[in-house]
Amino acid sequence: MGGVHPADNKISRDCKIEVLPIPETVYIHLGQHIGAPAKPVVAVGDKVKAGQLIAEPGGFVSAAIHSSVSGTVKSIAPRKDLAGNPQMCVEIAVEGDEWLEGIDTTDTVIREFPDDPAVCLDKIKAAGVVGLGGATFPTAVKLTPPPGKKCEMLIINGCECEPYLTSDFRTLLEKGEQVVIGAAIIKSILKVDKATIAIEDNKPEAIDHIQKVLAELRKVSPKYDGISVMSLMKKYPEGGEKQLIDAVMHRQVASGGLPIDVGAVVQNVATALAVYDAVQKNKPIVDNSVTVTGECFPRQANLLVRVGTPLKFIIDYLGGVPQDTAKIISGGPMMGRAIANLEAATLKGTSALLFLTKAQTARGKESNCIRCGKCAEACPMGLEPFLLNRLSRAGGMLDQLEANAVQDCIECGCCLYSCPANIPLLDVIRQSKGQVLGIIKARAAAKK
Amino acid sequence: MDKLLVSPSPHIHSKVSTKSLMRDVVFALVPAAVVSVVFYGLGELLVLGVSILSCLLLEYLITRFLLNKDCTLGDWSAVVTGLLLALNLPSATPWWVVFVGAVVAIGVAKMTFGGLGQNVFNPALVGRVFLLVSFPTYMTDWRIPTGLFGADAASGATPLGVIKKGLLEGGQLSDLTAQYEWKDLLFANLGGSAGEISSIALLIGFGYLLLRKVVRPHITLSIWATVAVVSLIFSLAAPDKFTGPAFNLLTGGLILGSCFMATDYVTSPMSIKGGIIFGIGIGFITMMIRYFGSYPEGMSFAILIMNATVPLLNNWFHQKKYGRA
Ligand code: SF4
Ligand code: SF4
């Protein structure tokens, strides 16, 4: 159903993940995940080591945050994020690279993991693991299904369906074994029999590699039985959670429902790696791989970046911002966010920096809707964007908008991408969606 | 780098524009236009030229001076209307009649509704039907193709016209159809409007549109299927009165209408289900007019009638939403 086929443009696919030097100062945000911001447990002047806890979860849906470097806490104050909005931040001046005792920073792969799921879950929680596929939802919470709900299938999302992005692809190739072990750990926590690693068919090397890794691991331990690789047709947004569940399990999550309602839990490749690090290496999320790319950018790269590294540091390391850059995006071109502030620092969930020229990103002038239906054809949720656009612009049609499921929009951008009349469909729909969700929430609150 | 652009996602676009779509439709009609000029000669060239130029001129004058809007010539939709109108007219149509058709198509059917995207009826068809009703003699002055430089072509009615007349005069259907050969129907060797004469040229153009994903095939296919089924039933029931599927599919502008006019975005339903009903309606009405009406062919009327039902079809039929019944 729906979807579009933008040019792949994975020009950094052959760039090995390289370790970025540590900057002089890192800025670690306290709100890097969905849910309550973390509460700082360090004070200005404290010495910290890499991997040391600096903020604890601020609620049930929240995540711990660790220092990504060793050094001295300089300030705990609001600082502008990449959109230019002030957010609480811990500033740490870097001194050396000393790690907290107990963290294994070697490359040795550890294949045997604890039999007790509770032990694993605690380690994941302590390591501040969040979903790295975009939503940054605290992983420990997601791995604790609500009572009465049973998981039937774990899906590891290796689609990376956005154009340009290659960090998950590189991770699968270079740390595929760790990813699979991470998947097996998650599988044991969820107590499911089946797990599948879903990869789009434009990455045959990754599919091959993971298949080989699996064959090896199955010889080591029965814990790796029941894990398979699935090749999916390349299509955007195949890696959208709901689309992926449909593609793998042929089940659809009802509007307003959760994947677990249809027996699915989806975790991203980078998250599986983070789970491996947390459980097998006692290593919290202190770094992550970031694709830096764009036709106009001088050097394509996949970098392992310490959390809190200023964007400017990364860009300067690779040669600076090219003259003809019009837009820098954090994430992919379909769902990523335009960056307003290069002084901002990376977050756990930062997956890419994409440089686009004016010609690549310019939107054409809006003209009349020609009723071609291309927006509806492209919508992976089966919505009718032309209709939602018309209702939104008419004003006062919130009940109609709700009846036409504006709240189901996943903001994938396929409609706007496809519209020949350059109508800013998603811009308009996003607003109405916000209003309708507000009404739905208020109604639910009133019922209680 | 000046200042970084900050705007919401998505940050890229498919680059498919109204202009590129309309231009593709024009490209798709080129084979049919060329074939018709080759067969009907300079008269056809004049009809094409006058029709396209008048549509462009009228669109320009109306947007510029009457509506005070941005000029929309650049979207190529006026060229599409001009081409379709011309391909629906006999090659001997006087230039001023063509111009009147363009006035009705662009001025009345398109612009009074608010321009491209707002019109309810297909502009070229409205122009054509207006001319058919107002100037019936010119509009049925069909010529037998004589080639690009062949002198004055002789008049010759369209196959459907010949048969309708013949049947009214008590002729035998088998005698009447016997004069038409298969290959003539496919390769342009009959009296008819320019766009009707070469099914092959039109089908090549339609193939191009499908390949480029400009249109989807469901409307066209449901028209063909309906025409085939209806004419099969009737011709089996009364072979001496009613013409069969092959004949009906290949004559009377059915290919032109089903491939290029019924598939017009603006005046066809948005959903696949709606489109199929729309196509069935067109096929059925066309056949009823052909068999029982007073006009020999019924495509134009059938499409216009079904155009009027599009708002209803859009209300009734929606595509299936993810995770909802
Ligand atoms: S952004 Fe929303 S409305 Fe547009 S295609 Fe995606 S899900 Fe559909
Ligand atoms: S894609 Fe654009 S022009 Fe086509 S129907 Fe949707 S809104 Fe209208």
Side-chain angles (χ1 to χ4, degrees), chain A residues 242 252 255 323 326-327 333-334 336 361 363 365 368 370-371 374 376 381 383-384 408 416-417 419-420 430, chain B residues 1 5 7-11 13-14 16-18 70 116-117 213 265-266 270 318-320 322-324:
Chain A
K242 293 187 168 156
Q252 298 192 341
S255 172
Q323 267 301 314
K327 220 183 212 183
M334 295 299 286
T361 191
R363 279 196 194 169
K365 195 166 168 292
N368 278 358
I370 56 170
R371 301 193 225 166
K374 294 203 180 292
M381 295 303 291
L383 310 182
E384 292 163 314
D408 289 1
L416 204 162
Y417 171 84
C419 177
R430 223 181 239 127
Chain B
M1 182 190 76
L5 246 145
S7 55
S9 63
H11 307 285
H13 190 270
S14 64
V16 171
S17 62
T18 303
D70 286 347
L116 181 65
K213 299 215 161 80
Y265 293 143
V266 181
M270 310 285 300
H318 296 269
Q319 68 178 354
K320 191 195 166 300
Y322 179 104
R324 286 170 185 259

Side-chain angles (χ1 to χ4, degrees), chain A residues 185-197:
Chain A
I185 296 171
I186 300 173
K187 182 169 161 277
S188 77
I189 294 173
L190 291 167
K191 300 186 184 73
V192 280
D193 301 329
K194 277 186 299 180
T196 195
I197 302 173

